[in-house]
Amino acid sequence: NRVFLKYDNPKFDDTKNLLAYVYLKNKTFLNAKLIISGLAKCDRRLNFQFRNRFARYEEEAKQAKVGIWEKKG
């Protein structure tokens, strides 16, 4: 499967990691899907286009206790 990358500003973080939005061929926004599923967190250290949306998705995943937010034990 192919993925498509879209870049924002900044393109790299302070440790030279490439920052990109990842889309699947069917136009699924993978970054958002991972956060909604509780499999990724929103990085609030940087200012980027989808920061507020990702932060909201993270809060919703926490409240739903999914993925990494699932209560263990």
Side-chain angles (χ1 to χ4, degrees):
N1 276 343
R2 282 189 171 171
V3 298
F4 301 91
L5 302 179
K6 183 178 177 188
Y7 303 104
D8 201 345
N9 248 338
K11 191 172 179 179
F12 295 93
D13 68 9
D14 56 351
T15 58
K16 306 295 183 215
N17 291 309
L18 177 64
L19 305 174
Y21 302 117
V22 181
Y23 293 88
L24 303 181
K25 187 176 180 180
N26 66 3
K27 300 191 179 173
T28 298
F29 190 8
L30 193 57
N31 307 65
K33 187 158 184 83
L34 290 171
I35 296 169
I36 289 167
S37 301
L39 300 174
K41 296 180 181 180
C42 173
D43 188 346
R44 292 171 171 82
R45 296 172 299 168
L46 300 171
N47 190 21
F48 54 93
Q49 181 180 356
F50 295 106
R51 184 175 183 230
N52 291 338
R53 183 185 305 186
F54 288 178
R56 186 175 73 246
Y57 292 161
E58 182 181 298
E59 289 305 315
E60 291 169 1
K62 283 181 185 179
Q63 290 177 8
K65 295 179 172 50
V66 296
I68 61 175
W69 311 112
E70 184 180 354
K71 200 164 196 163
K72 305 284 186 205

